[in-house]
Amino acid sequence: MASLGENLRTFLLDDLSIYDLVAGRVHQNHMPQESAFPAIWFARQAEDRIGAYDGDAGVGRTDFALECLSTSIDTAGTLSKAVFDRLNFYRGDFADTTVQGVFVTDQDDNYQLRNDLSDFGVEISALRVSIWTT
């Protein structure tokens, strides 16, 4: 069984408008230094399981930080919109994961550089994505 992150990556790449921009460059947790742009990077920020006194109710929420990166602000924006359109209010399956709902809860272009300046010259549109699963 694939992880939710792996299924999210596959779901994003199944959209031709996203794939045409990133050509497979969707990275979870680690962005290879040699990766070309545009690209998508994401990482899990939080995970909550909803429980009941008689056991797990089987519902959970996982929040991801997701960054759309490009050397062009226009391309970063185009990619961010494609990701937003693909994910926001989606309900269905991510491969072997049943998704009750996906919500883009924040979108931000005001991004702080990393300490090592490895993203200097890269335009970033950041999204916060909540995925509810059963």
Side-chain angles (χ1 to χ4, degrees), residues 70-121:
S70 179
T71 55
S72 158
I73 188 121
D74 291 337
T75 303
T78 299
L79 180 56
S80 178
K81 181 175 180 350
V83 170
F84 179 92
D85 291 346
R86 176 75 167 152
L87 293 177
N88 200 40
F89 297 126
Y90 176 78
R91 182 179 180 158
D93 291 325
F94 280 6
D96 59 1
T97 302
T98 301
V99 174
Q100 296 301 317
V102 179
F103 306 96
V104 178
T105 59
D106 189 28
Q107 189 169 12
D108 188 1
D109 295 328
N110 184 14
Y111 186 82
Q112 301 297 316
L113 293 174
R114 295 186 179 107
N115 289 338
D116 64 359
L117 300 179
S118 63
D119 54 358
F120 186 72

Side-chain angles (χ1 to χ4, degrees), residues 53-64:
Y53 288 114
D54 62 350
D56 191 310
V59 177
R61 185 193 83 226
T62 305
D63 294 337
F64 288 94

Side-chain angles (χ1 to χ4, degrees), residues 36-55:
F37 297 104
I40 297 171
W41 172 89
F42 69 95
R44 183 177 56 189
Q45 296 281 288
E47 185 171 61
D48 293 315
R49 297 298 300 171
I50 309 301
Y53 288 114
D54 62 350

Side-chain angles (χ1 to χ4, degrees), residues 1-12 14 28 42 94-97:
M1 181 175 191
S3 71
L4 181 58
E6 292 167 327
N7 289 342
L8 172 58
R9 179 182 189 278
T10 299
F11 184 75
L12 289 171
D14 282 346
Q28 183 179 4
F42 69 95
F94 280 6
D96 59 1
T97 302

